[in-house]
Amino acid sequence: MWKRKTLAKALLVLLALLPVGILLWLAVPQLSLLWGDRAYWRGYAVSLGLTAVILLFQLAVALPTAYGLARWRGRLRDAAYLLYCLLTLLPVQVMLLPNYLVCRALGLLNTQLAIVLLGVFSPLSVFLLARAMQRIGVEQSEAASLDGAGAWTIFRRIYLPQVRDTAYIAAGLAFLDQWSMVELPLVLLSDESKLPLSILLTRTAFATPHAGAALYLLPAAVAVAVAAICVRGKCKWDIGIL
């Protein structure tokens, strides 16, 4: 029975990875032709730069914000949690027009800064981290306060170590979300040199579409694998901001 279950799981995994295998098989002959495609690599660099900046500052904003929500003892805390939950579930398309109007009023249209700012203040990471921090017992921070620990020490020594796995998950989800962004760049950016690869792959007639798509999937696969390894406790290194 155990062997049958293992075989069934292996077959399901192979079936799920079949499209990826076909893509890689079609991509290999085109790889040598892809290296000279400047438009592709420019879009790749733009995607990497935007995603890295957004991911770094999103976690830098989400961690202290989540800490503040978790430590908040006011009557409106549940309403704030509900608001973050609703913003997380709200489709991106609903906010396109308000985001466009705000960026136009601030003079940020056709600038990558608009994409960065809208990505940095994403509610999903704050919601996930705040819920994880809320499960930490209040007695831990109270005991640390009695020993003379300040808010920063409690945040760094008590809360961060206990939500590290959640932070890895939030970072992985944020990377996937920003790496594959379509709607915001499509609405806010008009200069083709500023567009990420997720848009250029649909606009430009690349001579090597299979190789381009395969290399485009590579960072996402690495991000998922790294997040999974870290969450399972096999990661030997730390993220600096944690």
Side-chain angles (χ1 to χ4, degrees), residues 81-169:
Y81 275 125
L82 179 61
L83 177 61
Y84 270 100
C85 180
L86 293 177
L87 290 175
T88 301
L89 298 175
L90 199 65
V92 177
Q93 293 79 6
V94 175
M95 296 300 297
L96 283 180
L97 181 58
N99 288 334
Y100 177 85
L101 294 177
V102 170
C103 291
R104 187 179 66 177
L106 296 176
L108 295 177
L109 287 182
N110 198 30
T111 64
Q112 293 175 342
L113 181 59
I115 305 297
V116 171
L117 291 177
L118 292 174
V120 164
F121 297 100
S122 174
L124 178 59
S125 296
V126 175
F127 177 75
L128 292 176
L129 291 167
R131 298 303 292 180
M133 291 183 182
Q134 191 182 20
R135 292 193 291 267
I136 299 174
V138 181
E139 63 276 2
Q140 299 183 39
S141 57
E142 290 178 349
S145 298
L146 292 176
D147 290 336
W152 169 248
T153 302
I154 294 174
F155 171 62
R156 185 167 55 91
R157 295 295 182 87
I158 296 178
Y159 279 82
L160 285 186
Q162 298 187 60
V163 299
R164 186 164 296 179
D165 288 348
T166 305
Y168 289 137
I169 294 173

Side-chain angles (χ1 to χ4, degrees), residues 128-223:
L128 292 176
L129 291 167
R131 298 303 292 180
M133 291 183 182
Q134 191 182 20
R135 292 193 291 267
I136 299 174
V138 181
E139 63 276 2
Q140 299 183 39
S141 57
E142 290 178 349
S145 298
L146 292 176
D147 290 336
W152 169 248
T153 302
I154 294 174
F155 171 62
R156 185 167 55 91
R157 295 295 182 87
I158 296 178
Y159 279 82
L160 285 186
Q162 298 187 60
V163 299
R164 186 164 296 179
D165 288 348
T166 305
Y168 289 137
I169 294 173
L173 292 175
F175 184 93
L176 295 177
D177 184 34
Q178 302 305 323
W179 182 252
S180 59
M181 56 182 165
V182 173
E183 291 88 354
L184 285 178
L186 196 61
V187 172
L188 301 179
L189 300 179
S190 57
D191 191 348
E192 188 167 306
S193 63
K194 300 177 182 178
L195 293 175
L197 190 58
S198 54
I199 303 295
L200 291 179
L201 283 175
T202 63
R203 281 191 175 184
T204 309
F206 290 106
T208 56
H210 300 109
L215 289 180
Y216 176 71
L217 290 176
L218 183 61
V222 172

Side-chain angles (χ1 to χ4, degrees), residues 6-132:
T6 303
L7 180 60
K9 292 179 180 179
L11 290 176
L12 288 175
V13 171
L14 291 175
L15 183 61
L17 294 177
L18 181 61
V20 178
I22 295 175
L23 177 62
L24 294 176
W25 178 68
L26 295 173
V28 170
Q30 299 180 355
L31 287 175
S32 59
L33 302 175
L34 185 63
W35 308 126
D37 197 330
R38 294 184 178 180
Y40 178 86
W41 294 112
R42 183 182 65 229
Y44 209 102
V46 170
S47 291
L48 282 177
L50 287 175
T51 303
V53 172
I54 291 174
L55 179 59
L56 176 64
F57 284 98
Q58 185 179 128
L59 288 178
V61 170
L63 285 167
T65 304
Y67 174 67
L69 282 175
R71 298 266 293 174
W72 187 10
R73 295 294 177 263
R75 296 180 179 180
L76 297 178
R77 186 181 68 170
D78 291 338
Y81 275 125
L82 179 61
L83 177 61
Y84 270 100
C85 180
L86 293 177
L87 290 175
T88 301
L89 298 175
L90 199 65
V92 177
Q93 293 79 6
V94 175
M95 296 300 297
L96 283 180
L97 181 58
N99 288 334
Y100 177 85
L101 294 177
V102 170
C103 291
R104 187 179 66 177
L106 296 176
L108 295 177
L109 287 182
N110 198 30
T111 64
Q112 293 175 342
L113 181 59
I115 305 297
V116 171
L117 291 177
L118 292 174
V120 164
F121 297 100
S122 174
L124 178 59
S125 296
V126 175
F127 177 75
L128 292 176
L129 291 167
R131 298 303 292 180

